[in-house]
Amino acid sequence: MTDTRIDHFSDEAAQKALDFLRFQAGEAAISRANRIYMEEFRKTIKANCMAASPEKTLTAQERDAYSSPEYIAHLEAMRAAIELDEVHRWKMVAAQATIEAWRTHQANRRGEQKMQ
């Protein structure tokens, strides 16, 4: 059985993690901006749907808004935006952890060399 894991202590793994953070930052920022926009725009859709409702009470208008096709479609799009943002976030966390593990390993190696 072949081990296909990356050695997280290698210089190559650390460089790949740094490159990932550097080159994916723009994409991650866009996905975060989209998520925030979708979360905020949800309020606009709700307000517009409530205004278009023939109901008189706010509770009935809100019920109509939450059950409207526009609101439901927006929630589905919002789910996709949140998922993409979370994928970027966790990949960045993993890259940061790889770099931190490499740094710790390097410090340990220097300590061992001083003791020899």
Side-chain angles (χ1 to χ4, degrees), residues 24-75:
Q24 296 299 314
E27 211 174 297
I30 290 169
S31 70
R32 182 72 175 159
N34 286 338
R35 175 186 185 162
I36 292 169
Y37 174 82
M38 295 294 282
E39 290 172 346
E40 295 300 316
F41 192 60
R42 176 183 53 84
K43 299 170 191 173
T44 301
I45 290 174
K46 178 184 171 187
N48 289 340
C49 291
M50 286 177 71
S53 174
E55 298 291 339
K56 300 287 185 213
T57 67
L58 288 177
T59 303
Q61 289 175 359
E62 190 173 47
R63 180 198 64 226
D64 285 354
Y66 284 143
S67 64
S68 71
E70 296 89 357
Y71 193 84
I72 293 168
H74 183 76
L75 288 178

